[in-house]
Amino acid sequence: MSKEMMAVLVFGLIAVAALVMLVVERRGIAARKAARGGREVDVSNLIAFGSAAGEGNKTKSSE
């Protein structure tokens, strides 16, 4: 097998691995979104309010 063919095969394997990782990540995102009831959580809210923002409790007091 020539060096060029080996390079094509290696590049192809890298491309396939990247596509598999993309699909796995998209499925993970869909599962996390379904666990939240289909709603999005704004990352800036999580930074400012912590995990209470993900639960929809950012304006309630913890008393």
Side-chain angles (χ1 to χ4, degrees), residues 10-26:
V10 169
F11 180 75
L13 287 174
I14 291 170
V16 168
L19 289 174
V20 168
M21 293 297 289
L22 177 68
V23 169
V24 169
E25 182 62 24
R26 299 286 294 181

Side-chain angles (χ1 to χ4, degrees), residues 1 5-6 11-12 15 18 20 27 31-32 35 37 42-43 47 50-51 55 59 61-62:
M1 189 178 300
M5 185 56 78
M6 288 294 288
F11 180 75
V20 168
R27 289 180 67 190
R32 288 190 297 275
D42 187 14
V43 177
I47 293 169
S51 61
E55 299 167 2
T59 57
S61 65
S62 61

